[in-house]
């Protein structure tokens, strides 16, 4: 289970990324994006590199859960990354993704 109640969104991003890549170590994913430091790409507003990183995380989750009833919602979240213009929008995507993953893995 990934917790969304932690105050630091960078912590929540890293948790989501590490779970997406099979509970890897920090930076242990193939792209080196499963780390809190990557969240800096969303501050003060989302950069292209940040959007690419989060898209890779969600794409991996989508691939791993193609048979899930939540797959369409995950796809919509991944697509919404590209139109996100604020850090708060990115936080919402991260937290919603965590909530969906927690539902899938109940």
């Amino acid at each position: 289970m990934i917790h969304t109640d932690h105050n630091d969104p960078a912590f929540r991003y890293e948790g989501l990324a590490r779970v997406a890549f099979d509970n890897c170590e920090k930076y242990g994913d193939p792209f080196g994006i499963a780390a809190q430091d990557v969240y800096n790409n969303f501050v003060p507003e989302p950069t292209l590199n940040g959007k690419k990183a989060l898209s890779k995380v969600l794409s991996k989750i989508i691939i791993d859960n193609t048979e899930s009833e939540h797959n369409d919602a995950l796809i919509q979240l991944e697509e919404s990354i590209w139109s996100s213009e604020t850090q708060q929008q990115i936080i919402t995507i991260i937290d919603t993704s965590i909530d969906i993953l927690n539902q899938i893995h109940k």
Side-chain angles (χ1 to χ4, degrees), residues 36-84:
Q36 290 183 34
D37 303 4
V38 175
Y39 187 82
N40 291 334
N41 289 295
F42 304 120
V43 180
E45 58 192 31
T47 65
L48 180 58
N49 285 339
K51 290 177 180 184
K52 286 179 183 178
L54 187 54
S55 177
K56 289 173 185 173
V57 169
L58 283 180
S59 293
K60 175 68 165 70
I61 293 169
I62 291 165
I63 290 167
D64 288 348
N65 294 284
T66 55
E67 301 299 319
S68 168
E69 65 185 83
H70 302 285
N71 196 264
D72 289 341
L74 289 167
I75 291 169
Q76 289 177 355
L77 279 173
E78 191 283 327
E79 291 172 349
S80 72
I81 293 168
W82 303 105
S83 60
S84 297

Side-chain angles (χ1 to χ4, degrees), residues 16-24 29-31 33-34 56-57 60:
L16 178 66
R18 290 175 67 177
V19 165
F21 292 100
D22 303 318
N23 293 312
C24 68
D29 62 286
F31 309 104
I33 57 173
K56 289 173 185 173
V57 169
K60 175 68 165 70

